[in-house]
Amino acid sequence: MSTPPSAESNVLGTDLEPCSTDPETGYLRDGCCRHLDADRGRHEICAVMTETFLTFSRAQGNDLVTPRPELDFPGLEPGDRWCVCLGRWIEAEREGVAPPVVLEATTEAVLEEIPFSTLLDHEYEG
């Protein structure tokens, strides 16, 4: 896989890999879950959507299923990879419904808030 244009690292300490280009994710819609000062929601965790997480997120007021073309949002379904908000993932983890994490595509900046061991417990094995 090609190295993204930034020198940003993932939680494994290697080059940050893209999360998804179909659907196109990331705050910049460039496929990467980067740490950006402009992104107050911190869309930094590359997660593989599950029905349980999508239902949880909707119940918290963030409907990730319904397409919103005006926001360039296709709507998600289980199996899609998506850059999720750091805070939402932490909430889901506390409730036992956190989606699996693609470590290679999750920015190292999340380690400020989440222990590596917790991310490893939720590592995507696909």
Side-chain angles (χ1 to χ4, degrees), residues 51-100:
E51 188 67 44
T52 305
F53 176 74
L54 291 169
T55 300
F56 172 79
S57 188
R58 179 181 270 174
Q60 302 305 309
N62 187 17
D63 179 0
L64 296 173
V65 175
T66 305
R68 302 277 310 269
E70 71 278 13
L71 299 176
D72 194 24
F73 181 71
L76 302 175
E77 55 189 47
D80 286 342
R81 291 182 180 199
W82 194 252
C83 296
V84 298
C85 292
L86 179 60
R88 177 69 69 226
W89 192 90
I90 291 170
E91 289 174 355
E93 201 274 331
R94 288 183 183 144
E95 295 296 321
V97 296

Side-chain angles (χ1 to χ4, degrees), residues 79-123:
D80 286 342
R81 291 182 180 199
W82 194 252
C83 296
V84 298
C85 292
L86 179 60
R88 177 69 69 226
W89 192 90
I90 291 170
E91 289 174 355
E93 201 274 331
R94 288 183 183 144
E95 295 296 321
V97 296
V101 176
V102 180
L103 300 178
E104 297 82 2
T106 297
T107 183
E108 68 182 343
V110 304
L111 295 173
E112 298 167 2
E113 305 288 332
I114 304 171
F116 180 72
S117 59
T118 300
L119 293 171
L120 201 54
D121 287 344
H122 295 279
E123 182 179 10

Side-chain angles (χ1 to χ4, degrees), residues 6-69:
S6 78
E8 194 164 350
S9 296
N10 59 36
V11 296
L12 300 171
T14 58
D15 288 339
L16 182 66
E17 294 183 11
C19 179
S20 175
T21 56
D22 185 20
E24 200 165 49
T25 190
Y27 182 75
L28 300 175
R29 291 297 192 262
D30 64 355
C32 292
C33 305
R34 305 177 188 283
H35 175 73
L36 300 164
D37 291 337
D39 178 12
R40 296 186 318 165
R42 295 195 64 184
H43 296 81
E44 299 174 5
I45 296 182
C46 180
V48 180
M49 297 297 96
T50 63
E51 188 67 44
T52 305
F53 176 74
L54 291 169
T55 300
F56 172 79
S57 188
R58 179 181 270 174
Q60 302 305 309
N62 187 17
D63 179 0
L64 296 173
V65 175
T66 305
R68 302 277 310 269

